[in-house]
Amino acid sequence: MLHLPVFLIFGLICVAGAINLLVQKHPINSALSLVVVMASLAVEYLLLGAEFVAAVQVIVYAGAVMVLFVFTIMLLNAGEEEHTKGSRVALLLGVPGIAIGGVLVSWTVLRHSNTAPVPIGALPGPPKDVALLLFHDFLLPFEITSVLILIAIMGAVVLASRPEAIVRRLRRGEPAQKAQKPEKRELAVVGKER
Amino acid sequence: MSATTTFVILSIIKSVAVIFVLLTAVAYSVWLERKVSARIQNRWGPTRVGPFGLLQPLADGIKFIFKEDLMLPHVYKPLYIAAPIIAVLFSITSIAVIPFGNSLDIPAFHIGSWTVGPISTPFQVAADSAGDINIGLLIILGITSMGVYGVALAGWASNSKYSLLGGLRASAQMVSYEIALGISLIPIMIKSESFSLRAIVDAQRHLQWNIVYVPFGTIAFFVYLISAYAETNRTPFDLPEAESELVAGYHTEYSAMKFAMFFMAEYANMVTVACLATLLFFGGWLGPVFGPSWLQILLPVFWFCLKVFFFMFLYVWVRWTLPRFRYDQLMAFGWKVLLPMAIANLVVTALYEALKA
């Protein structure tokens, strides 16, 4: 009854947020627009009856991933974006590309779509159904995905870790860089003056 | 009246009532904090306004409203204004899915020619037709995880070094402890087989509170309690607003009502976290129920409020007893102690429940 208008409103908010993400020049504004996109997507999931996915969308994407984005932007104190020649080329090629892509997708969807609406609750949405799908029907793909993520985490640790020698030196309480010995010539000069 | 109209009117009444009670509770927990801290430090605390200083929160509110609202020239205006609003919004929203008691049943009565009722509505602002939300716990976790933005953006938009450092500390700390907090709750979900807060409370009937679900529930409770202190930026984890290092942390540049909004957000978050601890580990509204029917309806709400009050008191007690962590200690504690503990507890609980079934 109220579902369709609310669904459309949040769909519009989602698209507006996505466009704003591209238009804004400051990275923090773009990141916040992305938060709006994620949150309105969660509302769309909720309206489609996928409660669990909606909650996870908010917790993981809007709550954790985007907070880390904002955190990084704050930490690096990223300034406003500058336009280069590359960005003009991207604009010239990208806008027609998106238009063509959008037309193709909507044409395909409209041509092959089943016009009968699916009632809410017809598709698996409550946590129990999702759990059965994940841990029963699609257990192997699910576990393989988690291994993929584990590999990504290990990669991040390797990239961020410091070489063994420096770690050992830090543990001994010495500075990370080897202290440079004062050059002999300077010492000699000092000696002469004396 | 049609079902929809009744639903809308009831929802509005419930929202207004709950927000009123929450904000009053927030104001009086500030009073409680000042009184208890005074008691701990052998002082009097507020005594001048009203008996026992009970009108002090009101006086404070009036002061905040009439103070000059400084708009500094060097801030990033849109986010500087939005940050306190975001903080308050998310801290108040999460109370909507918290159940306070069984349900309010009023038989039909007449006002003039109108017939009202019979009314039967759960003690919970947002509920579906069954009087429950089957992902209530997840919604609370989601909303509290969004609350970080208020603090982080306040720190960034203020364009001042103390604020930025406070904001950075707050977001790093809240993201880190959120993981331990979330994982510490999963054993409870496994035991109750539900995300619904009502189902979790119902699973604790006959004094089978999760706190006495030894050792899994007990460990989960302590991990939850410690991470909750860190989530709400309270001592011993109040690094984001450490006075001795950062002036006031992320809200250094805020004055008047905008500052008061951060204050309200902090205390409202404390109330939410206390409600969650009550629901998940201390049996929610369960307690001895007796007497006439109106008393049987109100007693569960009373037990719930009593337990929440206990946690609010505990918050204040801890704050004025423990010193503050150093920042590296805080991070090391979160990642190297709490998180492994929560994960180990989760694995062992899952094994135990699977073998028992």
Side-chain angles (χ1 to χ4, degrees):
Chain A
M1 155 195 71
L2 260 174
H3 280 95
L4 193 62
V6 178
F7 188 87
L8 288 176
I9 290 170
F10 275 93
L12 280 178
I13 293 176
C14 187
V15 173
I19 292 171
N20 195 37
L21 161 73
L22 295 172
V23 172
Q24 287 291 335
K25 289 225 171 112
H26 202 286
I28 212 146
N29 291 341
S30 299
L32 291 178
S33 315
L34 195 52
V35 176
V36 171
V37 174
M38 301 289 189
S40 42
L41 269 182
V43 177
E44 302 282 59
Y45 291 146
L46 196 61
L47 288 170
L48 290 172
E51 314 141 343
F52 182 74
V53 181
V56 170
Q57 168 90 5
V58 172
I59 294 173
V60 174
Y61 286 99
V65 173
M66 288 318 297
V67 168
L68 289 179
F69 265 64
V70 172
F71 181 75
T72 317
I73 293 169
M74 280 166 60
L75 196 64
L76 300 179
N77 203 9
E80 292 209 347
E81 133 189 58
E82 286 165 14
H83 278 280
T84 57
K85 214 175 189 182
S87 57
R88 211 168 302 140
V89 174
L91 197 69
L92 279 177
L93 289 179
V95 171
I98 289 169
I100 293 169
V103 168
L104 275 177
V105 168
S106 31
W107 183 70
T108 322
V109 168
L110 286 177
R111 188 137 178 261
H112 295 283
S113 71
N114 188 353
T115 42
V118 181
I120 286 172
L123 298 171
K128 209 167 208 168
D129 298 358
V130 178
L132 275 178
L133 282 179
L134 278 184
F135 294 108
H136 192 262
D137 297 2
F138 298 104
L139 182 62
L140 189 65
F142 180 69
E143 292 299 328
I144 290 174
T145 317
S146 60
V147 171
L148 264 181
I149 294 172
L150 185 67
I151 293 170
I153 295 173
M154 281 157 65
V157 169
V158 168
L159 283 177
S161 69
R162 284 179 277 202
E164 193 68 9
I166 293 181
V167 173
R168 240 178 283 139
R169 210 173 295 142
L170 280 175
R171 258 189 216 136
R172 266 181 274 141
E174 295 167 15
Q177 296 287 324
K178 257 190 191 166
Q180 297 216 330
K181 284 178 187 168
E183 286 181 30
K184 277 179 185 169
R185 211 186 300 155
E186 265 176 56
L187 281 178
V189 171
V190 172
K192 254 180 200 171
E193 273 175 6
R194 215 178 266 165
Chain B
M1 276 189 287
S2 73
T4 319
T5 335
T6 321
F7 177 77
V8 170
I9 291 176
L10 272 178
S11 298
I12 292 172
I13 293 174
K14 279 197 285 189
S15 311
V16 171
V18 166
I19 289 177
F20 177 75
V21 170
L22 177 65
L23 292 184
T24 315
V26 164
Y28 277 93
S29 41
V30 178
W31 175 84
L32 180 80
E33 170 126 45
R34 293 178 67 174
K35 269 299 196 197
V36 174
S37 70
R39 177 84 195 138
I40 288 173
Q41 297 175 340
N42 226 348
R43 298 183 282 116
W44 280 107
T47 51
R48 295 298 164 121
V49 198
F52 306 106
L54 269 172
L55 295 179
Q56 186 70 38
L58 207 66
D60 283 347
I62 293 170
K63 184 194 77 175
F64 276 129
I65 291 169
F66 285 106
K67 260 185 156 178
E68 185 184 0
D69 194 1
L70 290 175
M71 183 51 85
L72 305 167
H74 58 77
V75 299
Y76 183 63
K77 230 177 224 173
L79 292 184
Y80 179 78
I81 296 171
I85 299 176
I86 293 174
V88 158
L89 200 69
F90 285 119
S91 65
I92 290 182
T93 313
S94 47
I95 204 82
V97 292
I98 287 179
F100 308 108
N102 286 322
S103 69
L104 179 65
D105 298 301
I106 301 173
F109 59 93
H110 301 279
I111 303 173
S113 58
W114 282 19
T115 309
V116 182
I119 298 168
S120 175
T121 181
F123 277 110
Q124 185 175 358
V125 176
D128 63 9
S129 48
D132 193 8
I133 289 188
N134 65 353
I135 50 164
L137 186 51
L138 293 180
I139 290 179
I140 291 183
L141 288 180
I143 293 173
T144 45
S145 72
M146 297 282 283
V148 189
Y149 287 113
V151 174
L153 293 177
W156 185 81
S158 295
N159 200 8
S160 118
K161 57 182 172 242
Y162 296 125
S163 302
L164 183 67
L165 283 173
L168 283 176
R169 282 184 176 186
S171 33
Q173 172 184 331
M174 285 163 101
V175 168
S176 310
Y177 277 80
E178 211 169 79
I179 303 171
L181 186 138
I183 293 179
S184 75
L185 296 183
I186 300 179
I188 304 303
M189 301 176 195
I190 291 176
K191 191 205 158 209
S192 323
E193 298 177 358
S194 179
F195 294 126
S196 149
L197 291 168
R198 265 175 201 279
I200 290 174
V201 171
D202 281 336
Q204 300 177 53
R205 281 190 187 284
H206 312 298
L207 275 179
Q208 300 267 319
W209 293 1
N210 283 330
I211 180 78
V212 291
Y213 173 48
V214 181
F216 314 116
T218 321
I219 296 174
F221 172 68
F222 282 106
V223 174
Y224 169 79
L225 195 69
I226 297 170
S227 339
Y229 277 49
E231 274 290 292
T232 46
N233 295 329
R234 294 282 297 186
T235 322
F237 303 101
D238 66 340
L239 270 296
E241 36 193 311
E243 302 90 355
S244 46
E245 311 161 25
L246 293 181
V247 188
Y250 57 87
H251 54 61
T252 306
E253 306 290 335
Y254 283 88
S255 60
M257 212 50 209
K258 291 207 198 72
F259 166 75
M261 281 163 95
F262 280 116
F263 217 68
M264 272 157 60
E266 185 184 326
Y267 281 87
N269 274 331
M270 279 162 60
V271 173
T272 310
V273 165
C275 286
L276 211 54
T278 305
L279 288 169
L280 296 178
F281 298 99
F282 280 77
W285 59 84
L286 300 178
V289 172
F290 48 83
S293 61
W294 61 269
L295 197 64
Q296 288 193 3
I297 291 174
L298 289 182
L299 263 178
V301 182
F302 173 73
W303 295 128
F304 181 81
C305 294
L306 194 69
K307 291 169 188 173
V308 171
F309 172 79
F310 165 71
F311 279 105
M312 296 302 287
F313 183 77
L314 192 67
Y315 258 113
V316 176
W317 192 2
V318 167
R319 169 159 181 192
W320 296 95
T321 309
L322 295 181
R324 186 179 294 139
F325 274 105
R326 216 171 55 213
Y327 199 71
D328 60 323
Q329 291 173 334
L330 168 108
M331 278 295 163
F333 184 66
W335 286 102
K336 294 180 186 165
V337 178
L338 277 188
L339 184 62
M341 215 158 139
I343 293 177
N345 190 29
L346 163 64
V347 172
V348 175
T349 315
L351 273 178
Y352 172 76
E353 288 288 333
L355 290 179
K356 204 177 76 174

PDB file of all heavy atoms in Angstrom, chain B residues 113-127:
ATOM      1  N   SER B 113     -19.303  10.440  22.972  1.00  0.00           N
ATOM      2  CA  SER B 113     -19.953   9.493  22.064  1.00  0.00           C
ATOM      3  C   SER B 113     -18.932   8.583  21.379  1.00  0.00           C
ATOM      4  O   SER B 113     -19.291   7.699  20.629  1.00  0.00           O
ATOM      5  CB  SER B 113     -20.757  10.267  21.014  1.00  0.00           C
ATOM      6  OG  SER B 113     -19.886  11.136  20.311  1.00  0.00           O
ATOM      7  N   TRP B 114     -17.633   8.853  21.607  1.00  0.00           N
ATOM      8  CA  TRP B 114     -16.590   8.048  20.958  1.00  0.00           C
ATOM      9  C   TRP B 114     -16.329   6.766  21.728  1.00  0.00           C
ATOM     10  O   TRP B 114     -16.309   6.766  22.957  1.00  0.00           O
ATOM     11  CB  TRP B 114     -15.270   8.827  20.893  1.00  0.00           C
ATOM     12  CG  TRP B 114     -15.238   9.857  19.813  1.00  0.00           C
ATOM     13  CD1 TRP B 114     -16.311  10.406  19.172  1.00  0.00           C
ATOM     14  CD2 TRP B 114     -14.075  10.465  19.255  1.00  0.00           C
ATOM     15  NE1 TRP B 114     -15.901  11.319  18.257  1.00  0.00           N
ATOM     16  CE2 TRP B 114     -14.536  11.378  18.279  1.00  0.00           C
ATOM     17  CE3 TRP B 114     -12.712  10.321  19.478  1.00  0.00           C
ATOM     18  CZ2 TRP B 114     -13.652  12.153  17.531  1.00  0.00           C
ATOM     19  CZ3 TRP B 114     -11.846  11.085  18.743  1.00  0.00           C
ATOM     20  CH2 TRP B 114     -12.303  11.988  17.768  1.00  0.00           C
ATOM     21  N   THR B 115     -16.084   5.721  21.000  1.00  0.00           N
ATOM     22  CA  THR B 115     -15.637   4.493  21.640  1.00  0.00           C
ATOM     23  C   THR B 115     -14.162   4.310  21.292  1.00  0.00           C
ATOM     24  O   THR B 115     -13.795   4.338  20.120  1.00  0.00           O
ATOM     25  CB  THR B 115     -16.424   3.284  21.127  1.00  0.00           C
ATOM     26  OG1 THR B 115     -17.809   3.578  21.225  1.00  0.00           O
ATOM     27  CG2 THR B 115     -16.103   2.053  21.946  1.00  0.00           C
ATOM     28  N   VAL B 116     -13.361   4.210  22.324  1.00  0.00           N
ATOM     29  CA  VAL B 116     -11.927   4.049  22.087  1.00  0.00           C
ATOM     30  C   VAL B 116     -11.526   2.635  22.461  1.00  0.00           C
ATOM     31  O   VAL B 116     -11.918   2.128  23.500  1.00  0.00           O
ATOM     32  CB  VAL B 116     -11.122   5.062  22.921  1.00  0.00           C
ATOM     33  CG1 VAL B 116      -9.640   4.913  22.631  1.00  0.00           C
ATOM     34  CG2 VAL B 116     -11.573   6.473  22.617  1.00  0.00           C
ATOM     35  N   GLY B 117     -10.773   2.023  21.588  1.00  0.00           N
ATOM     36  CA  GLY B 117     -10.209   0.716  21.908  1.00  0.00           C
ATOM     37  C   GLY B 117     -11.116  -0.419  21.491  1.00  0.00           C
ATOM     38  O   GLY B 117     -12.037  -0.213  20.711  1.00  0.00           O
ATOM     39  N   PRO B 118     -10.912  -1.634  21.952  1.00  0.00           N
ATOM     40  CA  PRO B 118      -9.856  -1.987  22.904  1.00  0.00           C
ATOM     41  C   PRO B 118      -8.455  -1.825  22.304  1.00  0.00           C
ATOM     42  O   PRO B 118      -8.248  -2.120  21.131  1.00  0.00           O
ATOM     43  CB  PRO B 118     -10.150  -3.454  23.224  1.00  0.00           C
ATOM     44  CG  PRO B 118     -10.845  -3.964  22.001  1.00  0.00           C
ATOM     45  CD  PRO B 118     -11.627  -2.803  21.470  1.00  0.00           C
ATOM     46  N   ILE B 119      -7.536  -1.319  23.120  1.00  0.00           N
ATOM     47  CA  ILE B 119      -6.179  -1.089  22.655  1.00  0.00           C
ATOM     48  C   ILE B 119      -5.282  -2.217  23.147  1.00  0.00           C
ATOM     49  O   ILE B 119      -5.327  -2.576  24.328  1.00  0.00           O
ATOM     50  CB  ILE B 119      -5.649   0.260  23.179  1.00  0.00           C
ATOM     51  CG1 ILE B 119      -6.504   1.405  22.630  1.00  0.00           C
ATOM     52  CG2 ILE B 119      -4.198   0.455  22.786  1.00  0.00           C
ATOM     53  CD1 ILE B 119      -6.248   2.719  23.310  1.00  0.00           C
ATOM     54  N   SER B 120      -4.517  -2.764  22.251  1.00  0.00           N
ATOM     55  CA  SER B 120      -3.519  -3.750  22.648  1.00  0.00           C
ATOM     56  C   SER B 120      -2.271  -3.473  21.845  1.00  0.00           C
ATOM     57  O   SER B 120      -2.251  -3.654  20.628  1.00  0.00           O
ATOM     58  CB  SER B 120      -4.025  -5.165  22.372  1.00  0.00           C
ATOM     59  OG  SER B 120      -3.005  -6.072  22.655  1.00  0.00           O
ATOM     60  N   THR B 121      -1.249  -2.966  22.513  1.00  0.00           N
ATOM     61  CA  THR B 121      -0.057  -2.567  21.779  1.00  0.00           C
ATOM     62  C   THR B 121       1.176  -2.928  22.586  1.00  0.00           C
ATOM     63  O   THR B 121       1.155  -2.833  23.814  1.00  0.00           O
ATOM     64  CB  THR B 121      -0.098  -1.059  21.468  1.00  0.00           C
ATOM     65  OG1 THR B 121       1.057  -0.703  20.739  1.00  0.00           O
ATOM     66  CG2 THR B 121      -0.184  -0.227  22.730  1.00  0.00           C
ATOM     67  N   PRO B 122       2.229  -3.384  21.930  1.00  0.00           N
ATOM     68  CA  PRO B 122       3.431  -3.743  22.688  1.00  0.00           C
ATOM     69  C   PRO B 122       4.146  -2.503  23.210  1.00  0.00           C
ATOM     70  O   PRO B 122       4.010  -1.420  22.648  1.00  0.00           O
ATOM     71  CB  PRO B 122       4.291  -4.462  21.649  1.00  0.00           C
ATOM     72  CG  PRO B 122       3.830  -3.943  20.354  1.00  0.00           C
ATOM     73  CD  PRO B 122       2.374  -3.656  20.504  1.00  0.00           C
ATOM     74  N   PHE B 123       4.882  -2.685  24.303  1.00  0.00           N
ATOM     75  CA  PHE B 123       5.718  -1.599  24.834  1.00  0.00           C
ATOM     76  C   PHE B 123       6.961  -1.468  23.975  1.00  0.00           C
ATOM     77  O   PHE B 123       8.054  -1.877  24.356  1.00  0.00           O
ATOM     78  CB  PHE B 123       6.112  -1.894  26.280  1.00  0.00           C
ATOM     79  CG  PHE B 123       5.084  -1.518  27.285  1.00  0.00           C
ATOM     80  CD1 PHE B 123       4.381  -2.478  27.972  1.00  0.00           C
ATOM     81  CD2 PHE B 123       4.811  -0.187  27.539  1.00  0.00           C
ATOM     82  CE1 PHE B 123       3.430  -2.134  28.907  1.00  0.00           C
ATOM     83  CE2 PHE B 123       3.858   0.166  28.464  1.00  0.00           C
ATOM     84  CZ  PHE B 123       3.157  -0.809  29.146  1.00  0.00           C
ATOM     85  N   GLN B 124       6.802  -0.900  22.801  1.00  0.00           N
ATOM     86  CA  GLN B 124       7.905  -0.811  21.841  1.00  0.00           C
ATOM     87  C   GLN B 124       7.416   0.145  20.766  1.00  0.00           C
ATOM     88  O   GLN B 124       6.269   0.040  20.326  1.00  0.00           O
ATOM     89  CB  GLN B 124       8.171  -2.196  21.251  1.00  0.00           C
ATOM     90  CG  GLN B 124       9.351  -2.278  20.333  1.00  0.00           C
ATOM     91  CD  GLN B 124       9.592  -3.713  19.899  1.00  0.00           C
ATOM     92  OE1 GLN B 124       8.897  -4.634  20.311  1.00  0.00           O
ATOM     93  NE2 GLN B 124      10.564  -3.917  19.051  1.00  0.00           N
ATOM     94  N   VAL B 125       8.244   1.099  20.346  1.00  0.00           N
ATOM     95  CA  VAL B 125       7.743   2.099  19.400  1.00  0.00           C
ATOM     96  C   VAL B 125       7.515   1.474  18.040  1.00  0.00           C
ATOM     97  O   VAL B 125       6.443   1.583  17.451  1.00  0.00           O
ATOM     98  CB  VAL B 125       8.728   3.278  19.301  1.00  0.00           C
ATOM     99  CG1 VAL B 125       8.264   4.251  18.250  1.00  0.00           C
ATOM    100  CG2 VAL B 125       8.838   3.972  20.642  1.00  0.00           C
ATOM    101  N   ALA B 126       8.539   0.810  17.507  1.00  0.00           N
ATOM    102  CA  ALA B 126       8.430   0.237  16.173  1.00  0.00           C
ATOM    103  C   ALA B 126       8.202  -1.262  16.303  1.00  0.00           C
ATOM    104  O   ALA B 126       9.025  -1.961  16.889  1.00  0.00           O
ATOM    105  CB  ALA B 126       9.696   0.507  15.378  1.00  0.00           C
ATOM    106  N   ALA B 127       7.088  -1.751  15.788  1.00  0.00           N
ATOM    107  CA  ALA B 127       6.816  -3.186  15.853  1.00  0.00           C
ATOM    108  C   ALA B 127       5.919  -3.552  14.681  1.00  0.00           C
ATOM    109  O   ALA B 127       5.138  -2.735  14.218  1.00  0.00           O
ATOM    110  CB  ALA B 127       6.144  -3.541  17.168  1.00  0.00           C
TER     111      ALA B 127
END
